[in-house]
Amino acid sequence: MTRQPVFQQVLGPAWDQLGDVVRRHYTMAPFSDDKVCVRGVMSEVWHAPWAALLMPFGRLFGALVPHTGSNVPIDVHYRCHPGNAHLYWNRVFHFAGKPPFHFRSHMAHDVRRGTEVIEYVRFGVGMRLAVSEEEGALVFRDLGYVWRIAGLRIALPLGLLLGTAYVEERPDPHDADHFTMRMRLRHRWFGDVFRYSGRFHLERQVLQGRARQVEASRRTSGHNAPTMPRRPENLYPQYHAHIYFAPATLAQARALVERAGRELMVVVGRVHERLVGPHPHWSCQLAFDAGQFDQVIGWLDANRDGLDVFVHGLTGDDFADHTAHAMWLGEESALDLRMFRH
């Protein structure tokens, strides 16, 4: 089981020729909880007018961005998983006047296939990609589409309809912490079908391995030290959001959770006017699932009016849920983790 970053395995010695900012946002170890987030602006998100006919297919498979626009804010979340060697993407486009659009995929690499990887979307549909380093850039070239089913990998002739993809991530020569990204789907007869391009910022020391960090803290202390708050991401099937408040904000919190119950159809727990569980403040719990996530988080962020909200996934591991899976709206607080000692 190798712990080298996926693209270091793919590229071999050429990995060292990539621009520093490109290597940094892919320096995540397989079989870990490493994660990175980059933020930027898409100067263009475009598709040909006739490509609107493909959108039902795109929505079904989660493979196409259905909107167009310019200067579109975007967050890209990269992560690994402790249970496998895949690399996961969640690209969140923030089009004006529309809910956030999530384009999710994951990448698999078989060492027997050299520099080829496959990027999968829903239902086992994937694109074979040849990966290369070119003048410091990470470049992906389309090798065709496949369908993974029942252990088989069946070639799909989707290129006849969608065209051929080209993707690159290139260091900004003027700023060591920025890179540009460009994606294009081009049909041999009809020209460009889809394309988008933008510029991204990667903060220094952005790599997060929260589970390892909090485990070290756990061995030396009963509390976890506050870190930079991690914004909520839709990564788990079920969630709790804990609204934190004090005696002076009790009425505000009560009004907020009552509205949430009416407007969002979430499960509202008891309003605790005392400390319960690992929580360092008075609190009230909201329960919801992944299908409600975007609506609930957006609503809470818009209506919390200064109240802090602790959000976490529900995976069956209470310690991990309150550490590695912890996310925040507002300020992060130190939780009392002693109740989770094994």
Side-chain angles (χ1 to χ4, degrees):
M1 181 174 70
T2 181
R3 298 296 298 275
Q4 279 189 333
V6 170
F7 290 120
Q8 187 173 4
Q9 298 175 48
V10 172
L11 293 173
W15 163 262
D16 294 325
Q17 304 305 311
L18 290 173
D20 175 71
V21 67
V22 177
R23 286 200 311 273
R24 279 195 285 129
H25 76 269
Y26 283 118
T27 304
M28 294 171 288
F31 301 99
S32 77
D33 64 345
D34 288 348
K35 55 182 69 68
V36 167
C37 177
V38 300
R39 293 184 167 87
V41 175
M42 285 298 191
S43 56
E44 177 188 48
V45 181
W46 178 91
H47 61 73
W50 65 266
L53 299 173
L54 304 175
M55 289 310 164
F57 167 86
R59 286 186 178 276
L60 177 64
F61 290 93
L64 301 175
V65 180
H67 311 303
T68 61
S70 56
N71 298 319
V72 178
I74 181 172
D75 307 325
V76 182
H77 303 270
Y78 309 79
R79 67 181 178 91
C80 293
H81 191 283
N84 60 52
H86 299 159
L87 179 61
Y88 294 82
W89 276 277
N90 181 13
R91 309 161 182 89
V92 188
F93 293 79
H94 300 277
F95 290 93
K98 296 181 173 64
F101 177 78
H102 293 259
F103 176 13
R104 297 184 176 91
S105 64
H106 74 270
M107 184 165 287
H109 173 238
D110 184 338
V111 294
R112 294 170 297 183
R113 293 187 174 272
T115 60
E116 179 185 320
V117 298
I118 302 179
E119 183 175 4
Y120 288 102
V121 288
R122 294 177 187 157
F123 308 122
V125 173
M127 179 189 291
R128 296 171 53 221
L129 294 163
V131 185
S132 60
E133 177 278 326
E134 299 178 20
E135 298 180 336
L138 184 64
V139 175
F140 303 85
R141 287 186 168 86
D142 182 349
L143 297 174
Y145 295 84
V146 296
W147 183 28
R148 184 183 56 195
I149 183 171
L152 302 176
R153 205 174 70 174
I154 302 169
L156 295 175
L158 294 178
L160 296 176
L161 181 63
L162 297 175
T164 301
Y166 172 88
V167 183
E168 68 171 33
E169 296 185 9
R170 186 172 299 277
D172 186 328
H174 307 295
D175 189 326
D177 293 328
H178 283 80
F179 66 96
T180 59
M181 182 270 178
R182 181 163 65 98
M183 188 284 292
R184 181 191 68 226
L185 269 175
R186 176 171 290 171
H187 197 280
R188 66 170 67 184
W189 298 317
F190 306 130
D192 284 359
V193 182
F194 291 89
R195 64 176 184 256
Y196 52 73
S197 58
R199 185 170 183 264
F200 294 84
H201 177 241
L202 175 67
E203 295 180 2
R204 292 281 173 174
Q205 306 299 324
V206 74
L207 178 64
Q208 301 174 16
R210 292 178 67 91
R212 291 195 299 274
Q213 295 169 3
V214 297
E215 182 64 28
S217 173
R218 176 187 180 186
R219 289 194 294 265
T220 59
S221 170
H223 294 72
N224 63 317
T227 60
M228 289 296 292
R230 172 186 166 199
R231 288 277 304 177
E233 305 171 69
N234 195 357
L235 303 174
Y236 311 103
Q238 301 288 332
Y239 296 89
H240 284 166
H242 300 271
I243 314 300
Y244 285 168
F245 55 92
T249 52
L250 172 60
Q252 177 189 349
R254 282 190 182 278
L256 180 70
V257 299
E258 288 172 4
R259 280 187 60 201
R262 290 194 309 270
E263 298 179 22
L264 302 176
M265 302 301 291
V266 296
V267 179
V268 180
R270 182 177 301 175
V271 176
H272 293 287
E273 297 179 47
R274 59 185 178 89
L275 301 186
V276 295
H279 304 292
H281 307 286
W282 293 4
S283 62
C284 179
Q285 175 184 289
L286 308 180
F288 54 98
D289 63 27
Q292 299 169 284
F293 183 91
D294 289 338
Q295 180 188 16
V296 172
I297 295 302
W299 188 94
L300 286 174
D301 207 14
N303 293 282
R304 62 188 179 86
D305 194 20
L307 296 178
D308 298 323
V309 183
F310 168 46
V311 182
H312 65 82
L314 298 176
T315 66
D317 183 334
D318 288 338
F319 179 76
D321 288 346
H322 289 78
T323 53
H325 308 155
M327 300 169 280
W328 299 84
L329 295 172
E331 295 298 319
E332 181 173 0
S333 295
L335 305 180
D336 185 346
L337 302 175
R338 289 174 293 185
M339 65 183 295
F340 301 128
R341 287 184 182 273
H342 297 305

